[in-house]
Structures are given as C-alpha cells and as structure tokens.
Amino acid sequence: MAVEIVTVPDLGGAETVDVIELSIAQGDAVALEDSLLVLESDKATMDVPSPFAGTLVKFLVADGDTVKVGDPIAEIEVAGQQAESSAEPAKAAAAVIEEQPEPVKQPEAATVSAEQAGGLAEQLILVPDIGSEDQIDVIEISVAIGDQVEEGDTLLVLESDKATMDVPSSHSGTVIKIIAAEGDKLTTGSEVAVLQVSQTSPNAEPAPVAEVQAPQAVVEPTAQPAIAPQAPAPVQTIVDAAAPNESGEVYAGPAVRMLARELGVDLSQVSGTGPRGRVQKDDVNLYVKSALRAAPAAATGSGIPLVPAVDFSQYGEIESIPMSKIQKLTAANMQRNWLNVPHVTHFDDADITDLEDFRKSLADEGAKRGIKVTPVAFLIKALAAAMQSNPIFNRSLAADGEHFIQKHYCNIGMAVDTPRGLVVPVIKDADEKGIWDISADIAALAASARDGKLKPADMQGGCFTLSSLGAIGGKGFTPIVNSPEVGILGVSKSQMQPLWNGQEFVPRLMLPLCLSYDHRVVNGGDAGRFMTQLVKSLSDIRHLAL
Ligand code: CAO
C-alpha cells in the first residue's frame, strides 16, 4: 500500500482557483479519473479527476480554499504500490504524476485483454477522440450485458451542454462488461465496455469518432486509429460556467444544467447557494420540492382552485364517514366528465297518459310471466328507437379528437341507485328487444346492482344512459353525460297537468324529460330531433312498433 498525493494540475493559465466542491468523502473508494473535487476560476469550473485508483485518505484542502498549480489537494491510498517517502507533499505529488505508470491502457488498450479462449477474445472499448479534452456526462447506456453489437452500434450517449454524442463500438461482438455508468464523466480514451469478439474479427481498426448531434454543427466522424490514451489529463475544463443560458445569467455546471433540463426547471428561477451564487444540484432539488409543495395549495392538476378545507368540528359535532369504492369512482368520473364535456341540457315533456294506461293493462300478463313492467322499460325501448333514427347519439369522440366512432350496436345503460352508491348496468341490444325482455333485464340488473352482484361485463359497452328519478320525484334536472357516451336522458316524476288540446284543457300525465348531450358531438338541432321523436313515441307507443 502506498499513499499518493494528488496536486493541483495545470490550470490552463489561471494563477489561482477556488475549491468549490469536494466531490467525495474521506474513506471513499476512488476509481481512476473519478472526480475528486471541483475548482473554479473566474471563467470556468474544473473537475479534478483522480490520477490513481484507491481510497481517499483525506483532502488536504477545504471547500472555499484558494489553490495554485502544484498545491497538494488529496491523499489517496493506492493498493499494490510501495510507499514512497515524501517529505514535501507538493514535490512528491509532482513526482508521482511524472513517474506514475500509465494508468490507463496503452494504444493496444483496445485489445488489451484479448485473452484467447477458443477463438474468442476480450476487447476493451474506449471513447474515441471526441475532439476535445472535456469530461462529458454519460446520459444513456445504450446496451446491456449479453447484447450483440456490430461495429458502429451505439454503446452509450454523452452529453455536454452543447451537444449529444453517440459513442459507437469499434468492434463487433457480445457485451460482457459495461464499465461506464450513467452520470459518469468520460473523455477521449475513457473505458466504455468490454466485448467478447471473435479473434478472427477483421475489425482491428477502431470505430470512427462519435457523430456530434449538436443542434447547429454536426461534427463529421473522423477515422481514428486505436485510441492510445495518455495518462489522464488531470484537469479538464468542463464549461464556461459563467456563461449565461438562454434564460439569463445563470451560474451552473453541466450536470446541474442537465438535471434542470430533466426536471423541466428554469435555472434562472433557482437561487444558487454555491460560491458566487453558483446553482448546485441540491438547489435544483430544493426548488422542485418547494414547487411541488406549493402546487396543491394553489390548484389541482387542471389549474382549478381547490375548495379550501374546513374544520367543521369548530361549528358542532361531526363524524368522518369513509367513502365506498363506488362512491370514490363516481366522484372521480363525475368530475372528469363535468370538466371534459361541454354539456347542454334540452328539456321537454312527454304525454304518457296512454302509455301508462297500456302499461297498467299489462299487469295481469306480467304477473303470469313474473315480470313487472315499469315506465323505464318503455323509456329504454323509445331511446333505442330514437338512437336508430338519430345515430349521432350513438357516437363517441375518438381519443385523437379528429374522428367520431359510430357504433352499430345499441346498448343502453341504466343508472341504479344502491346503498353503496350509483352504478350503471347496461341493457344489451336494447333495439332488438321487446318490452317484456327489457323489463326482465331491468329487474335482473337492478336486483344485481342492489345486491352488489353486478359483474364488470354487466356495466360495460354502454352507448347511452338513462337516469330515471321518476319514482323519487322532481320536475327536472341536468344529468351529467357518462363520457365517452354523448348523451344521457334524465327522467323526472310524471304528473297530471292541464294540457290544451286546441279546444280545451284536458288532464294529461306529463313526463319531464331532460336530455344532456356532449356539444362537441351533438348539436342543438340533433338534440331537438332526438327529443321530439322520443316525446312522440312515448306519447303514442304505436310509433315504437313502426
Ligand atoms: N314518474 C312517476 N312514477 C314513476 C316514474 C316516473 N317517471 N318512473 C317510475 N315510476 C313509478 C313506477 O311506475 C313504479 O310505481 P308502481 O310500483 O306503482 O308501478 C315505481 O315508480 C318504481 O319504479 P322504478 O322507477 O323504481 O322502476 P324500475 O324498477 O323500472 O326502475 C331503476 C329501475 C333502476 C331505474 C330505479 O330503481 C332506480 O334506481 N332509479 C334511480 C336512478 C338514479 O338514481 N338516477 C340518478 C342518477 S344521477 O345521480
């Protein structure tokens, strides 16, 4: 074991720089080229990558220190090396840098571990010349262990603040090890992956340099010989950190800019807590957390102000009653439909005097059949007929907002009031059924609904919904469309009313009908025609036989 001292490398002209970030902690394992700390000059930030693999014994500088070239900055315990006496750390460090063996692979590194194994060899793949010495973030690993790759296939993607770069494979083979990881910083010659290649593979020549997918400038691939990485340049200028982005004078490094992009954060809105207001990752995270906390207080996802929570107990005794699953679903569906569908409700009354006489006349027959015929059966029958004549009511708006879906079947949902909440079983093929069959379906489905025995299939496939409150009361209401259906008929309580027949007022049983429709699909004229037909057939049910 030996303790090596890392010193401040060439600063590219700057005399002194500030230590603005210690990237790792004492005792951390350090791989070759791992960033140890970040220095900052007036113009740029610089990562100091480790020239050794080992364990960080300690930093010799602290956050905020000012340092110059050659100053000792860290001690790293390197495995498998003899200790060297170093009375003067700075000099010793310099010696270490000069004398250390090449820490990365030599030119033949591209085939370094080409151990023969039945005609197969291991091939180390390196980052080819990327045209700069910048350390660039790995934003995507494009392959997985076991993948078969061809020469030129992308292995990973690098992203600087100006461009993304695909790093292609210089060989064809099977990926057996991925060395780089997302978030790593790589530069020319960095190790990417190990492939198992055929020894007879002719592609000893390496892949061309990555194509730079910069928005404006595409750097043409350059044929390169096998990368012969040098000992890692200990300092790489990352970015002109003082350069403002489009949104203003933002002082942040590339990793922070990438994080902000990923999270959709406008960096100009983030307060930097680093030296000279530099925005750090923690600042971005904190900004996002605060934004998320603030959002619910101001609005829901639709930007609709929330109803403020009220502590009702301050006004009297209360109890909290858990909602059933059906009640929660109904609440969500009603809100969704109410917010999404432009509703219009059209009102009319049907004279059901004759219908009721006829219905009552069926009582004996119904008793024999064990079927009770209620007004709802006639309503469903009349609705099915009106949908046949007005097929626009049997449409839905396609999800793309550019098509109508015309249904050629006619299933009618029926709202059922149950102790657990509102459910809507569906009477299938209502257009093909007679009053007896519809009545039987209504009774069976209403019973299943109240007993909680409806199956999912019983509630699926509806084209239109009937909500009958006639047995309960009311003069009219505005039902909410059960989207993606486009219409719903609300029925209130029938009442005897004086009706002018042209000569005199006569008592007639009038049934209030309320047709709500989705005005994206149905126009007022469509609704008027639909309702008129409905009123006509309920007023004279002989029309239902036509
Ligand atoms: N006007 C006056 N009386 C009416 C009527 C009307 N529009 N509709 C039904 N009635 C009468 C029936 O004639 C029946 O009386 P009789 O027993 O004397 O013949 C009685 O009311 C019961 O009828 P019903 O409406 O319950 O008949 P049904 O079994 O065919 O109804 C169902 C089934 C499921 C529609 C009904 O039970 C129900 O749950 N309705 C509530 C629907 C609802 O909650 N809608 C609101 C949804 S939005 O919140």
Side-chain angles (χ1 to χ4, degrees):
M1 293 282 199
V3 174
E4 302 286 6
I5 296 178
V6 182
T7 58
V8 177
D10 180 17
L11 295 171
E15 288 196 356
T16 58
V17 287
D18 295 338
V19 177
I20 62 163
E21 193 177 296
L22 302 178
S23 312
I24 57 171
Q26 188 175 322
D28 279 359
V30 186
L32 193 66
E33 293 191 73
D34 273 1
S35 176
L36 294 175
L37 48 75
V38 183
L39 301 176
E40 182 182 65
S41 71
D42 286 348
K43 298 194 180 70
T45 58
M46 292 158 265
D47 272 14
V48 177
S50 176
F52 311 106
T55 306
L56 177 71
V57 178
K58 63 178 174 185
F59 278 113
L60 303 171
V61 291
D63 203 352
D65 282 1
T66 301
V67 294
K68 60 183 186 309
V69 177
D71 281 356
I73 48 179
E75 287 181 1
I76 293 185
E77 190 175 72
V78 182
Q81 284 197 15
Q82 293 297 318
E84 292 179 28
S85 75
S86 53
E88 199 181 334
K91 276 188 192 164
V96 165
I97 289 174
E98 282 163 20
E99 291 169 12
Q100 64 170 312
E102 293 291 331
V104 290
K105 312 301 177 192
Q106 291 302 308
E108 57 274 24
T111 53
V112 277
S113 44
E115 294 159 14
Q116 204 161 342
L120 295 175
E122 289 184 5
Q123 178 70 49
L124 181 64
I125 308 296
L126 308 174
V127 176
D129 185 356
I130 55 175
S132 90
E133 293 183 343
D134 289 356
Q135 293 272 357
I136 302 185
D137 295 326
V138 177
I139 59 163
E140 184 185 302
I141 302 291
S142 312
V143 291
I145 289 176
D147 280 2
Q148 185 68 37
V149 294
E150 298 300 321
E151 181 187 347
D153 282 357
T154 299
L155 296 178
L156 53 78
V157 182
L158 300 175
E159 184 185 63
S160 70
D161 61 332
K162 297 189 183 72
T164 59
M165 288 160 256
D166 285 1
V167 171
S169 177
S170 55
H171 291 71
S172 300
T174 307
V175 180
I176 58 173
K177 186 176 177 190
I178 298 173
I179 300 167
E182 269 183 36
D184 281 1
K185 291 178 186 303
L186 304 186
T187 188
T188 301
S190 298
E191 296 179 352
V192 172
V194 177
L195 301 190
Q196 192 172 59
V197 299
S198 163
Q199 272 239 302
T200 54
S201 172
N203 55 359
E205 288 302 309
V209 168
E211 180 178 338
V212 178
Q213 299 164 338
Q216 288 107 13
V218 172
V219 176
E220 287 301 321
T222 310
Q224 280 294 108
I227 299 301
Q230 306 300 309
V235 171
Q236 307 288 342
T237 299
I238 297 295
V239 64
D240 183 354
N245 65 7
E246 315 81 47
S247 53
E249 294 290 323
V250 173
Y251 187 20
V256 172
R257 287 176 191 275
M258 185 169 81
L259 178 69
R261 270 198 302 280
E262 283 169 358
L263 299 175
V265 170
D266 175 358
L267 276 178
S268 67
Q269 304 298 313
V270 181
S271 308
T273 58
R276 297 209 298 276
R278 181 175 185 262
V279 179
Q280 299 176 313
K281 280 188 175 176
D282 282 349
D283 298 330
V284 176
N285 290 330
L286 193 66
Y287 175 84
V288 171
K289 271 188 207 157
S290 329
L292 287 174
R293 265 201 303 269
T300 65
S302 308
I304 295 167
L306 281 181
V307 177
V310 175
D311 175 13
F312 299 103
S313 66
Q314 62 185 309
Y315 307 115
E317 198 178 321
I318 60 166
E319 67 175 305
S320 174
I321 300 166
M323 291 168 80
S324 71
K325 199 175 164 199
I326 293 175
Q327 286 166 330
K328 286 185 208 164
L329 274 173
T330 301
N333 288 342
M334 290 298 176
Q335 185 173 30
R336 182 198 65 198
N337 296 339
W338 180 254
L339 292 173
N340 277 300
V341 176
H343 281 77
V344 178
T345 306
H346 183 113
F347 300 95
D348 209 341
D349 291 338
D351 180 347
I352 59 164
T353 317
D354 297 339
L355 184 156
E356 272 298 273
D357 288 345
F358 177 64
R359 184 181 72 83
K360 283 175 185 157
S361 74
L362 296 173
D364 290 346
E365 170 79 11
K368 280 187 212 147
R369 291 174 181 247
I371 297 173
K372 183 181 178 191
V373 178
T374 65
V376 173
F378 288 94
L379 284 162
I380 289 190
K381 185 72 191 163
L383 275 174
M387 287 172 74
Q388 298 297 91
S389 310
N390 301 272
I392 203 166
F393 277 87
N394 202 1
R395 286 183 179 171
S396 283
L397 197 59
D400 63 9
E402 295 183 5
H403 298 87
F404 294 128
I405 307 296
Q406 180 68 57
K407 286 157 246 176
H408 297 296
Y409 53 90
C410 184
N411 300 332
I412 296 181
M414 171 184 69
V416 181
D417 186 30
T418 81
R420 281 176 296 280
L422 182 66
V423 288
V424 186
V426 173
I427 293 161
K428 304 276 164 49
D429 301 318
D431 56 325
E432 296 171 8
K433 291 179 178 163
I435 294 293
W436 291 115
D437 286 342
I438 292 174
S439 297
D441 281 1
I442 292 169
L445 289 169
S448 294
R450 291 191 178 111
D451 295 344
K453 289 185 179 160
L454 285 175
K455 300 184 195 76
D458 294 331
M459 292 181 280
Q460 290 167 352
C463 305
F464 188 101
T465 297
L466 170 70
S467 174
S468 173
L469 287 175
I472 299 170
K475 287 185 171 180
F477 60 106
T478 54
I480 297 176
V481 171
N482 190 12
S483 187
E485 296 168 17
V486 296
I488 180 168
L489 183 74
V491 180
S492 291
K493 189 174 182 65
S494 59
Q495 285 187 330
M496 292 301 287
Q497 289 180 19
L499 195 72
W500 182 253
N501 66 5
Q503 292 166 343
E504 57 182 344
F505 282 103
V506 289
R508 304 296 291 177
L509 186 63
M510 304 304 290
L511 179 71
L513 303 173
C514 323
L515 173 69
S516 290
Y517 56 90
D518 183 341
H519 208 338
R520 295 173 301 175
V521 179
V522 176
N523 288 331
D526 305 315
R529 283 182 283 275
F530 184 89
M531 183 65 108
T532 300
Q533 179 178 344
L534 204 56
V535 167
K536 195 170 166 184
S537 45
L538 289 171
S539 302
D540 185 349
I541 57 168
R542 289 174 300 181
H543 289 287
L544 292 176
L546 296 176

